[in-house]
Amino acid sequence: MSFDEAFVSDAMQADAPNGVIVNALRWEILNDWIQYQRDNTFEDKTAEGSYRWGFVKRDTGSESLKCLWAKHERNYPMFAEAVWLLHREFSEGAGADHHLLFANVPPIPADVLFQKIASCSAPVHRKLTEDQMVAILRKAPQDYSGMA
């Protein structure tokens, strides 16, 4: 009898608590966003190209993103909740209500946030294209709101 590491690895990712996944992504995305805001390379922080090359394309959170997409495959309501929480904190500005680190940090436009998650997920979750991931991420907060 042999030990199947891939099975155990997949199971652990799907079983990771949502709070752990959201917290890991929260701080990784917030760190990248603050670095982007302070980076003088891109003067117009609202330009599409500036978002793409200054923020979206910065690599972040491969392990937490593996866990997030494992939730998508095995427990969609938990996936939708995680995406809803990230969207609410970063795009709707609710993060400042929960933590001082969000104070005076401009919100991340929802589309840019979803592009960031999809772009960083592409190397670790190859079952979907970035465009497919963005479409799923856009829909998840609405799905979660409908579940609640």
Side-chain angles (χ1 to χ4, degrees):
M1 182 176 195
S2 66
F3 183 70
D4 185 2
E5 272 186 44
F7 172 76
V8 173
S9 175
D10 289 346
M12 289 187 308
Q13 290 170 358
D15 293 336
N18 236 24
V20 172
I21 297 168
V22 171
N23 281 332
L25 288 171
R26 175 186 296 129
W27 300 125
E28 290 166 0
I29 292 169
L30 183 61
N31 184 46
D32 283 355
W33 185 241
I34 289 172
Q35 285 180 3
Y36 167 68
Q37 292 297 317
R38 293 182 179 162
D39 187 351
N40 293 331
T41 306
F42 304 98
E43 291 183 30
D44 182 0
K45 300 293 185 200
T46 61
E48 182 66 30
S50 175
Y51 280 139
R52 182 143 189 86
W53 299 111
F55 175 65
V56 170
K57 290 296 181 182
R58 285 182 196 228
D59 249 354
T60 196
S62 62
E63 290 304 313
S64 49
L65 290 167
K66 284 180 190 176
C67 294
L68 180 70
W69 289 103
K71 289 283 186 204
H72 173 260
E73 292 175 351
R74 296 190 179 152
N75 191 343
Y76 183 77
M78 296 299 281
F79 169 83
E81 178 188 31
V83 174
W84 175 80
L85 285 166
L86 293 169
H87 173 263
R88 189 172 167 273
E89 290 178 349
F90 285 107
S91 300
E92 295 178 359
D97 297 341
H98 302 291
H99 204 286
L100 292 175
L101 288 176
F102 282 92
N104 300 321
V105 176
I108 302 172
D111 224 33
V112 173
L113 175 65
F114 299 147
Q115 287 173 22
K116 167 75 171 171
I117 295 170
S119 175
C120 294
S121 297
V124 297
H125 188 73
R126 297 174 186 206
K127 294 178 183 176
L128 300 168
T129 66
E130 275 188 50
D131 290 339
Q132 289 171 320
M133 284 188 255
V134 168
I136 290 166
L137 291 163
R138 278 187 190 131
K139 190 175 177 297
Q142 298 163 4
D143 289 348
Y144 180 73
S145 295
M147 291 176 207

